[in-house]
């Protein structure tokens, strides 16, 4: 049997040639009738919901031939916002982004996994060899063989070690859907494992909202939305009432695209058209700043809280904060004031003090503070990079404190992030379950996991390699509450097994979380007797698995969803210009032998004797119909009509009543999910837990100097501050394999290798003899990667910027710390938490050095 | 109907206090240790003998207590499937999960553990409710070579304790016969 070796993208391209004989169109042409062939030849149009938003898909000859922006019919009543003598009205088409449009290439990417494969040397029963894990040597299996061996292996591990030896890990945004893709991980897979007796829960934490979860929640609640406050109607509120918009540590044009495409980009253009002032605060002059902002305030990474403290210092000294609001809506102002004025530590947090820390001139800080105090300001700052660095919780608490001093909830004073936490008017009575709802609301039995043992993502590698491990807190979203961050966990728990079998859905895991090398080392360890993954692509991290099962894309199966609605922590909240539900009709047949995610679990369930309980007698179509029934759709359209049209647009209510963010709180003065019901500038919960003098956290938000930062001894060895933002050209690592997108941003080497770009200032480049396009080695004590130099004046000297999510392509995957040619920024990040209080990823603010890599091209 | 005082049901309101519910559920290792003394003793003895073990399954009826601070409720009557009225009470706990704890275990259906030896994750499987050894590792009757003899002795040491000291019955298919044969062969009891 032929052995397939998957070492890098170039080889994957070669394999694409080999695999092309299995391409969809050719396999489809076999054993079908003449009339079916004639049908296939016709061009058809489908409505799809991609990771980049809704789109219209054109199909001919059984292949996707194009994706276009979805047209919104004239008869659909949509919103209009009147402000500054203008009427703002969205375009009548869905603004799908490059992610959505590249589906045409993505679906047929040469790296698609077309049939099940197993690693050479892997044997069921833990009897095989492990030394080639990571090398990508695979042999093809039939589905029958794969399902038989995987199900027997799951049963063996469960019977030998108990269900706690099974660990299921969810997808990293593999495909869009409620019952497949991301949906499978919430609606099908947990029920599958619970029917087997449960599993060790993998606690993913969050790589996007860390500081918000563990910081802002202690001031105003909102843990169920990961610490981001409501954003409903913030668009109209801002356009009509705000004098200024501040984009703080947020490249909104780039970061808010996830799931929705460019839907919110037009809103920022409206801000400009309305004549509202705009400021960007960031170490880089990013796309949002270039396109939309009047002023760039360049701040060193990790020092945002100092800048915020100095703004408050000006307001308090000049009496330009909302004193009445502080009295009626908050508790604990005096301790905050004492910190800001330096009454407790002798250091007034003046602009002059801040200038030395964050690199912003004191004069600029005074000007910004006075401009800010002159009128309502909206901050766009959620998903901001600064919340993921050292003490990211202090950044988020400072953002809440800033707006609190100016009357958060008053007209025009809001805290938002258009596109991620909503803004546009929509029908708030519409219900639509999504993948993050966490359960299948249409299922009769939900089967909660009985196994109390958990493993936290930050501790996963150490937990596998060197157990036991212990940690405090670290859960996010709906499972989180202020109490949870004090819960103590350990792994393995007495009476329960260490993890022996890891079952993963989808890719992205190694490169989206910190310390890629350590994570890979754990996955390659024989202590994991078997590792199984369902995946779309043979991306490099799949080399670490024993059995890989081919899932299919959104366009190759049916599903039901609403763009940008994950449910629960990703509620709709007006994230798009038009609210719609989509019947995600299968456009083309699954490529090769790939199959829908749910069907993989159904087939395994048949082998394990739990099919009836798992399916509850439901086919894919049945689940879609039942999810339709539990949504608001039946109030508007029949299932048959919905299916036929593919989409239902929900009109904006004729008499629309806006509910600007926290306007209710401004009116009621209480009702927040904090112990006092008010904004807590001093948190008694944190005081009781950590005391007043803990170096990491305290009851009052403070600027805390990053450990291992630019003023630490480590900076002598690694003098550049690296910040690794959400990617512009990917969703985590999804789309990294698409050549159309790679060609847009990668730095091409003479060898043909495409290097991940690294932004470096002209000053730092000159000091190191680096020119634009040079290949650099970026390194620190954690790891080393190669990257292509993008020399620019759009970034502060002393800092470098990369996007995380590039594929991990180590020179020798079996050797820990091997040079990564793919340029995965998380090779450089530590798996230590952001503070003693916040057991979540610290993906930003790593100190690094860069040098020209001689001999590399 | 003389003597019956009509009651006006409390249709909506808030409810506080401790609510006890009886339920069928998985019983965790910690709960077994804290609520079932003889099983705790068994685990302690395994620890003393340096036998490793894993909880495989444990189900039973239990009483749980839900500590409700102030949950809003709705009392509802609805038409029963075959006519007449039926009644239900819905609680809304809001976004914060109420505190819950296990008050007592009424009965245990099973309590299955795997006892490990140095080399086998599953030397023997025991159901502590039925007092049975339901699985014994193959090493006892595929004894080949010096290494296997060592492994078999490990398993036999566990079995000796289970059968002779704890008085468990071997119900694994063929287990009793092979246990006796092996005991004679490698010199155990």
């Amino acid at each position: 049997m032929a052995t397939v070796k998957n070492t890098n993208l170039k080889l994957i391209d070669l394999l694409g040639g080999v695999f092309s004989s299995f391409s969809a169109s050719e396999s489809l042409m076999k054993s079908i009738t003449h009339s079916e062939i004639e049908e296939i030849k016709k061009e058809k149009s489908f409505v799809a919901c991609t990771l980049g938003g809704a789109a219209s898909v054109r199909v001919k000859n059984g292949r996707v031939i194009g994706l276009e922006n979805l047209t919104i019919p004239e008869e659909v009543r949509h919103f209009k916002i009147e402000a500054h003598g203008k009427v703002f009205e969205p375009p009548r088409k869905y603004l799908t982004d490059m992610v959505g449009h590249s589906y045409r290439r993505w679906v047929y990417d040469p790296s698609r996994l077309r049939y099940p494969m197993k690693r050479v040397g892997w044997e069921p029963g833990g009897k095989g060899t492990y030394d080639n894990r990571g090398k990508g040597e695979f042999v093809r299996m039939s589905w029958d063989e794969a399902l038989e061996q995987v199900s027997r292996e799951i049963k063996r591990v469960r019977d030998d070690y108990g269900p706690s030896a099974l660990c299921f890990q969810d997808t990293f945004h593999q495909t869009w859907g409620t019952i497949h893709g991301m949906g499978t991980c919430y609606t099908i897979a947990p029920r599958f494992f619970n029917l087997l007796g449960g599993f060790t829960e993998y606690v993913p934490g969050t790589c996007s909202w860390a500081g918000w979860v563990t910081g802002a929640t202690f001031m105003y609640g909102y843990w169920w939305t990961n610490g981001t406050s409501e954003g409903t109607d913030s668009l109209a509120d801002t356009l009509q009432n705000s004098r200024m918009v501040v984009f703080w540590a947020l490249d909104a044009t780039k970061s808010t695209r996830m799931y929705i495409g460019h839907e919110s980009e037009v809103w920022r253009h409206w801000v400009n058209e309305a004549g509202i002032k705009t400021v960007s605060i960031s170490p880089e002059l990013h796309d949002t700043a270039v396109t939309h902002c009047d002023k760039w305030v360049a701040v060193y990474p990790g020092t945002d809280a100092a800048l915020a403290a100095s703004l408050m210092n000006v307001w308090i000294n000049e009496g330009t904060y909302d004193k009445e609001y502080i009295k009626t809506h908050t508790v604990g102002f005096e301790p905050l004031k004492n910190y800001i004025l330096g009454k407790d530590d002798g250091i007034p947090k003046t602009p002059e003090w801040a200038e030395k820390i964050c690199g912003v001139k004191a004069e600029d800080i005074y000007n910004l503070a006075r401009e800010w105090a002159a009128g309502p300001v909206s901050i766009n700052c959620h998903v901001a990079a600064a919340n993921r660095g050292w003490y990211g919780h202090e950044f988020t608490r400072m953002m809440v404190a800033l707006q609190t001093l100016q009357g958060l909830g008053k007209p025009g004073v809001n805290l938002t992030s258009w596109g991620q936490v909503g803004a546009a008017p929509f029908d708030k009575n519409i219900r639509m379950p999504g993948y993050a709802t966490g359960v299948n609301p249409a299922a009769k039995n939900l089967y909660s996991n009985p196994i109390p043992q958990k493993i936290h993502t930050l501790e996963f590698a150490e937990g596998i390699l060197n157990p036991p491990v212990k940690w405090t807190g670290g859960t996010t979203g709906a499972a989180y509450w202020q109490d949870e961050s004090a819960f103590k966990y350990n792994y393995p728990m007495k009476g329960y097994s260490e993890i022996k079998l890891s079952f993963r859905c989808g890719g992205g895991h190694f490169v989206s979380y910190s310390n890629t090398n350590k994570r890979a080392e754990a996955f390659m360890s024989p202590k994991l007797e078997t590792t199984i993954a369902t995946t779309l692509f043979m991306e490099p991290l799949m080399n670490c698995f024993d059995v890989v099962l081919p899932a299919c894309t959104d366009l190759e199966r049916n599903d039901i969803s609403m763009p940008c609605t994950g449910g629960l922590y990703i509620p709709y909240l007006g994230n798009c210009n038009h609210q719609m539900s989509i019947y995600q009709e299968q456009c083309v047949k699954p490529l090769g032998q790939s199959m829908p995610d749910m069907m993989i679990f159904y087939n395994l369930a048949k082998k394990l004797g739990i099919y009836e309980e798992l399916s509850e007698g439901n086919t894919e179509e049945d689940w879609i119909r039942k999810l339709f029934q539990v949504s608001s759709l039946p109030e508007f359209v029949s299932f048959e009509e919905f299916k036929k049209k593919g989409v239902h647009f929900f009109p904006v209510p004729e008499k629309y009543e806006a509910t600007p963010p926290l306007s209710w709180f401004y009116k009621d003065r209480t009702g927040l999910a904090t112990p006092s019901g008010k904004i807590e500038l001093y948190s008694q919960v944190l005081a009781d837990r950590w005391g007043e003098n803990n170096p990491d956290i305290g009851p009052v938000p403070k600027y805390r100097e990053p450990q291992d930062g630019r003023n630490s001894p480590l900076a002598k060895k690694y003098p550049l501050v690296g910040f690794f933002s959400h990617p512009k050209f990917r969703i985590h690592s999804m789309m990294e394999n698409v050549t159309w997108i790679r060609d847009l941003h990668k730095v091409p080497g003479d060898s043909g290798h495409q290097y991940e770009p690294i932004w470096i200032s002209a000053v730092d480049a000159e000091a190191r003899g680096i020119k634009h396009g040079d290949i650099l080695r970026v390194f620190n004590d954690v790891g080393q990667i190669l990257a292509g130099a993008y020399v620019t004046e759009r970034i502060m000297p002393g800092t470098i910027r990369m996007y995380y999510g590039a594929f991990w392509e180590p020179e020798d995957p079996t050797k820990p710390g091997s040079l990564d040619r793919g340029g995965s920024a998380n090779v450089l990040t530590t798996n230590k938490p952001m503070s003693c209080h916040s057991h979540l990823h610290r993906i930003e603010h790593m100190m690094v050095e860069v040098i020209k890599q001689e001999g590399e091209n | 109907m003389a003597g019956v005082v009509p009651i006006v049901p409390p249709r909506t309101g808030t409810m506080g206090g401790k609510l006890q519910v009886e339920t069928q559920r998985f019983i965790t290792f910690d709960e077994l240790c804290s609520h079932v003394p003889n099983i705790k003793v068994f685990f302690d003895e395994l620890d003393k003998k340096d036998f490793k073990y894993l909880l495989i399954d444990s189900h039973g009826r239990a009483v749980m207590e839900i500590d409700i601070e102030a949950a809003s409720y709705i009392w509802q009557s609805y038409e029963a499937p075959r006519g007449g009225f039926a009644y239900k009470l819905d609680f809304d706990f809001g976004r914060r999960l109420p505190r819950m704890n296990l008050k007592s275990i009424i009965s245990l259906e099973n309590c299955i553990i795997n006892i490990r030896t140095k080399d086998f994750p599953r030397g023997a499987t025991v159901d502590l409710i039925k007092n049975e050894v339901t699985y014994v590792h193959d090493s006892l009757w595929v004894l080949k070579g010096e290494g296997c003899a060592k492994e078999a002795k490990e398993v036999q040491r566990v079995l000796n304790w289970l059968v002779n000291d704890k008085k468990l019955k071997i119900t694994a298919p063929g287990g009793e016969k092979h246990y006796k044969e092996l005991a004679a062969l490698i010199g155990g009891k």
Side-chain angles (χ1 to χ4, degrees):
Chain A
M1 191 173 283
T3 299
V4 179
K5 188 169 170 62
N6 172 34
T7 53
N8 57 37
L9 281 175
K10 279 165 69 181
L11 268 178
I12 290 172
D13 285 339
L14 288 174
L15 291 173
V18 175
F19 291 158
S20 63
S21 60
F22 297 95
S23 69
S25 58
E26 286 173 87
S27 60
L28 275 175
M29 297 306 241
K30 291 169 190 167
S31 67
I32 55 176
T33 64
H34 179 74
S35 60
E36 284 172 325
I37 291 173
E38 288 305 309
E39 190 64 22
I40 287 168
K41 281 180 179 174
K42 289 180 192 167
E43 185 172 324
K44 284 188 174 178
S45 190
F46 297 83
V47 181
C49 195
T50 73
L51 291 167
S56 179
V57 182
R58 286 166 52 217
V59 173
K60 192 175 181 184
N61 286 331
R63 287 183 73 90
V64 177
I65 59 168
L67 278 90
E68 290 158 5
N69 291 8
L70 188 67
T71 301
I72 316 296
E74 285 295 326
E75 62 268 25
V76 174
R77 185 173 54 246
H78 67 185
F79 70 83
K80 295 175 184 176
I81 296 172
E82 293 181 20
H84 299 269
K86 297 173 190 285
V87 178
F88 297 104
E89 186 177 357
R92 287 203 173 267
K93 62 179 180 180
Y94 196 102
L95 302 173
T96 316
D97 73 349
M98 69 176 110
V99 167
H101 284 292
S102 66
Y103 261 47
R104 185 183 151 200
R105 170 69 184 174
W106 185 63
V107 170
Y108 301 109
D109 192 89
S111 65
R112 276 291 297 274
L113 179 64
R114 284 156 163 84
Y115 39 71
M117 296 205 290
K118 65 179 175 184
R119 180 176 57 78
V120 174
W122 176 76
E123 293 292 338
K127 292 172 184 163
T129 57
Y130 293 94
D131 53 356
N132 68 343
R133 261 190 187 159
K135 289 185 177 173
E137 294 166 355
F138 287 96
V139 65
R140 183 173 172 174
M141 305 166 88
S142 69
W143 263 115
D144 277 349
E145 185 188 4
L147 294 167
E148 184 65 29
Q149 293 202 6
V150 167
S151 58
R152 284 174 64 177
E153 191 62 359
I154 289 172
K155 187 174 183 312
R156 177 192 71 84
V157 169
R158 185 197 59 175
D159 289 350
D160 279 3
Y161 301 100
S164 54
L166 306 172
C167 180
F168 164 69
Q169 298 167 343
D170 62 16
T171 179
F172 230 97
H173 305 226
Q174 180 161 266
T175 57
W176 190 257
T178 308
I179 59 174
H180 297 295
M182 289 187 275
T184 299
C185 295
Y186 294 91
T187 59
I188 301 291
R191 294 174 66 244
F192 173 88
F193 282 101
N194 287 334
L195 283 166
L196 295 170
F199 58 102
T200 291
E201 183 187 338
Y202 177 82
V203 181
T206 170
C207 72
S208 298
W209 311 89
W212 289 100
V213 175
T214 51
T217 50
F218 286 84
M219 298 186 76
Y220 62 15
Y222 289 106
W223 69 90
W224 57 93
T225 48
N226 279 337
T228 58
S229 63
E230 62 192 40
T232 317
D233 287 314
S234 64
L235 176 60
D237 184 43
T238 302
L239 287 170
Q240 291 166 343
N241 303 312
S242 302
R243 278 186 64 255
M244 185 163 77
V245 174
V246 174
F247 296 94
W248 198 314
L250 179 70
D251 183 358
T253 297
K254 172 257 297 179
S255 292
T256 60
R257 272 191 4 244
M258 193 181 288
Y259 311 146
I260 66 166
H262 292 304
E263 284 284 277
S264 70
E265 180 62 2
V266 65
W267 305 345
R268 288 178 282 279
H269 284 287
W270 293 348
V271 167
N272 296 140
E273 284 176 40
I276 297 168
K277 291 181 181 180
T278 47
V279 175
S280 170
I281 300 173
S282 170
E284 62 171 324
L285 184 66
H286 47 58
D287 290 2
T288 307
V290 169
T291 313
H292 299 291
C293 292
D294 305 318
K295 171 108 182 135
W296 172 34
V297 177
V299 59
Y300 280 121
T303 66
D304 306 78
L307 177 58
S310 67
L311 292 172
M312 285 189 271
N313 181 280
V314 176
W315 295 343
I316 292 171
N317 280 324
E318 297 182 356
T320 52
Y321 64 99
D322 191 332
K323 300 177 196 71
E324 187 58 29
Y325 181 94
I326 293 294
K327 274 185 207 163
T328 52
H329 290 71
T330 74
V331 295
F333 178 62
E334 281 306 309
L336 175 69
K337 185 178 163 187
N338 289 341
Y339 166 71
I340 297 292
L341 298 180
K343 287 184 180 173
D344 55 356
D345 61 2
I347 305 170
K349 311 304 175 297
T350 61
E352 290 77 9
W353 164 82
E355 178 178 343
K356 293 175 194 150
I357 295 168
C358 56
V360 183
K361 285 183 181 171
E363 183 186 348
D364 287 345
I365 299 175
Y366 279 110
N367 288 338
L368 179 61
R370 287 163 187 159
E371 188 67 43
W372 195 313
V377 171
S378 165
I379 310 184
N380 264 238
C381 61
H382 297 146
V383 208
N387 94 85
R388 314 191 309 163
W390 272 115
Y391 310 125
H393 42 72
E394 298 304 278
F395 163 73
T396 66
R397 295 170 81 196
M398 282 293 187
M399 293 299 103
V400 179
L402 276 175
Q403 290 299 66
T404 300
L405 262 62
Q406 295 301 337
L408 182 60
K410 281 164 68 175
V413 183
N414 58 51
L415 193 64
T416 184
S417 178
W418 293 340
Q420 281 295 315
V421 292
F426 68 104
D427 188 341
K428 299 178 181 78
N429 293 316
I430 300 301
R431 300 180 311 279
M432 187 72 202
Y435 75 88
T437 302
V439 295
N440 182 346
K444 288 179 194 160
N445 291 306
L446 300 176
Y447 308 111
S448 59
N449 185 5
I451 302 298
Q453 176 170 279
K454 300 174 193 294
I455 183 76
H456 193 279
T457 174
L458 276 180
E459 304 301 332
F460 181 81
E462 276 303 305
I464 298 299
L465 297 167
N466 304 300
V469 290
K470 55 186 178 180
W471 69 96
T472 305
T475 304
T476 61
Y480 184 80
W481 163 239
Q482 291 186 353
D483 298 345
E484 197 282 337
S485 60
F487 288 178
K488 296 196 181 303
Y489 301 94
N490 60 75
Y491 166 92
M493 288 173 67
K494 189 168 171 60
Y496 300 94
S497 172
E498 291 175 35
I499 297 163
K500 299 294 177 185
L501 183 148
S502 165
F503 196 115
R504 167 148 201 85
C505 288
H509 173 258
F510 288 12
V511 296
S512 301
Y513 287 152
S514 54
N515 204 340
T516 304
N517 283 333
K518 196 76 181 170
R519 224 164 266 278
E521 193 182 337
F523 269 91
M524 289 188 280
S525 163
K527 294 191 77 174
L528 285 177
E529 292 181 4
T530 293
T531 53
I532 300 158
T534 65
T535 185
L536 299 175
F537 305 101
M538 276 308 287
E539 57 189 79
L541 76 86
M542 288 300 146
N543 294 341
C544 298
F545 287 85
D546 296 325
V547 180
V548 284
L549 305 174
C552 65
T553 69
D554 326 36
L555 305 190
E556 298 164 294
R557 38 67 169 175
N558 300 295
D559 213 322
I560 183 172
S561 66
M562 181 180 268
C564 200
T565 302
L568 208 65
Y569 74 92
I570 310 176
Y572 180 74
L573 288 180
N575 286 308
C576 306
N577 287 305
H578 301 89
Q579 194 176 15
M580 66 189 85
S581 284
I582 294 175
Y583 185 98
Q584 295 179 256
E585 188 180 355
Q586 182 180 350
C587 306
V588 292
K589 294 209 170 178
L591 209 58
Q593 295 178 2
S594 65
M595 70 170 73
D597 306 80
M598 186 187 78
M599 295 311 298
I600 295 175
F601 282 97
Y602 267 21
N603 285 321
L604 285 171
K606 283 176 186 168
K607 296 278 184 188
L608 288 160
I610 55 171
Y611 171 72
E612 292 303 324
E613 294 94 329
L614 181 68
S615 70
E616 294 181 356
N618 293 308
T619 62
E620 180 190 66
E621 170 93 0
D622 294 335
W623 282 125
I624 293 172
R625 189 183 285 272
K626 287 185 176 180
L627 287 164
F628 170 91
Q629 290 295 344
V630 299
S631 75
S632 296
L633 280 161
E635 297 165 28
F636 298 87
V637 62
S638 71
F639 181 75
E640 285 66 30
E641 192 183 348
F642 173 58
K643 185 179 174 183
K644 188 178 167 189
K645 287 184 175 174
V647 60
H648 177 78
F649 299 99
F650 298 100
V652 172
E654 201 161 3
K655 291 179 182 173
Y656 183 75
E657 287 184 24
T659 54
L662 289 167
S663 56
W664 62 269
F665 172 68
Y666 180 59
K667 179 171 158 281
D668 296 347
R669 304 177 177 190
T670 188
L672 293 176
T674 57
S676 65
K678 294 179 182 287
I679 295 174
E680 300 197 342
L681 297 168
Y682 179 97
S683 166
Q684 191 60 50
V685 174
L686 290 176
D688 293 345
R689 188 175 304 162
W690 300 110
E692 298 278 350
N693 300 311
N694 187 296
D696 282 10
I697 184 84
V700 171
K702 289 182 179 178
Y703 166 68
R704 296 172 193 277
E705 174 80 21
Q707 295 177 35
D708 302 337
R710 53 190 288 273
N711 296 320
S712 71
L714 191 69
K716 290 190 174 70
K717 196 173 170 189
Y718 305 114
L720 300 171
V721 190
F723 59 105
F724 308 127
S725 315
H726 281 80
K728 176 180 175 182
F729 298 95
R730 301 179 282 265
I731 293 179
H732 301 304
S733 66
M734 298 304 290
M735 303 290 157
E736 170 68 345
N737 50 341
V738 178
T739 50
W740 291 358
I741 294 181
R742 292 173 71 89
D743 290 346
L744 286 175
H745 71 114
K746 297 281 184 180
V747 176
D750 293 340
S751 63
H753 187 78
Q754 292 177 309
Y755 294 89
E756 180 68 9
I758 176 172
W759 275 29
I760 183 168
S761 80
V763 174
D764 292 322
E766 188 179 0
R768 290 164 176 75
I770 292 168
K771 293 188 175 54
H772 196 77
D774 280 349
I775 309 308
L776 310 182
R777 187 160 66 92
V778 192
F779 60 99
N780 59 16
D781 288 339
V782 184
Q784 51 177 341
I785 62 175
L786 293 182
Y790 188 98
V791 180
T792 176
E793 293 179 348
R794 289 172 58 187
I795 188 169
M796 285 179 87
T799 69
I800 58 105
R801 197 271 285 137
M802 295 184 75
Y803 296 133
Y804 74 85
F807 282 161
W808 172 72
E809 297 174 52
E811 285 189 330
D812 183 352
T814 60
K815 195 181 287 181
S818 180
L819 180 65
D820 170 29
R821 303 185 83 244
S824 167
N826 271 319
V827 165
L828 305 167
T829 57
T830 170
N831 52 327
K832 294 203 167 52
M834 65 169 57
S835 75
C836 69
H837 165 72
S838 179
H839 201 84
L840 291 167
H841 293 278
R842 183 163 66 81
I843 290 173
E844 308 285 349
H845 312 162
M846 299 302 297
M847 301 306 292
V848 300
E849 178 57 297
V850 298
I851 57 171
K852 204 170 155 181
Q853 181 77 347
E854 299 298 340
E856 186 74 27
N857 57 37
Chain B
M1 298 293 286
V4 176
V5 179
I7 298 292
V8 178
R11 296 189 63 80
T12 61
T14 56
M15 185 268 190
K18 295 183 190 305
L19 182 69
Q20 288 199 351
V21 295
E22 191 178 315
T23 179
Q24 176 83 13
R25 68 189 270 277
F26 179 84
I27 311 294
T28 68
F29 180 82
D30 287 346
E31 289 167 346
L32 286 170
C33 290
S34 56
H35 287 83
V36 192
N38 59 329
I39 289 182
K40 169 81 165 65
V41 168
F42 187 86
F43 288 147
D44 287 345
E45 286 185 55
L46 283 169
D47 286 334
K48 273 185 203 161
K49 293 200 163 289
D50 206 22
F51 292 148
K52 308 288 182 216
Y53 52 91
L54 296 168
L55 180 64
I56 304 299
D57 196 10
S58 177
H59 272 79
R61 289 202 75 74
V63 175
M64 292 192 68
E65 190 172 77
I66 304 171
D67 195 353
I68 303 170
E69 285 179 11
S72 60
Y73 71 83
I74 303 175
W75 171 274
Q76 293 185 77
S77 54
Y78 61 97
E79 192 176 343
R82 288 174 189 156
F85 281 103
Y87 306 94
K88 67 176 179 180
L89 195 57
D90 281 349
F91 291 105
D92 186 346
F93 297 114
R95 289 197 166 98
R96 194 171 182 184
L97 190 69
R99 275 191 293 277
M100 284 178 274
N101 67 298
L102 186 85
K103 284 294 285 182
S104 61
I105 295 171
I106 300 167
S107 62
L108 271 176
E109 273 177 21
N110 63 3
C111 178
I112 297 169
I113 61 165
N114 281 357
I115 302 179
R116 302 164 57 188
T117 64
K118 186 167 171 252
D119 296 289
F120 304 120
R122 192 183 181 192
T125 298
V126 172
D127 187 334
L128 291 176
I129 303 305
K130 292 179 181 165
N131 279 325
E132 291 177 353
V133 179
T134 57
Y135 174 90
V136 179
H137 192 273
D138 288 0
S139 66
L140 283 174
W141 44 88
V142 288
L143 187 62
K144 287 176 189 170
E146 192 58 32
C148 284
K150 183 170 166 273
E151 292 161 6
K153 280 179 184 172
E154 288 176 22
V155 177
Q156 195 209 16
R157 188 170 153 247
V158 172
L159 280 179
N160 282 345
W161 179 70
L162 291 171
V163 173
N164 298 325
D165 295 3
K166 304 308 293 181
K167 309 297 181 197
L168 266 63
K169 189 179 174 191
I170 299 176
T171 58
E176 184 75 28
K177 178 171 170 279
H178 290 299
Y179 168 64
K180 285 176 182 165
E181 286 173 3
L182 189 76
L185 186 65
I186 62 178
K189 278 186 184 176

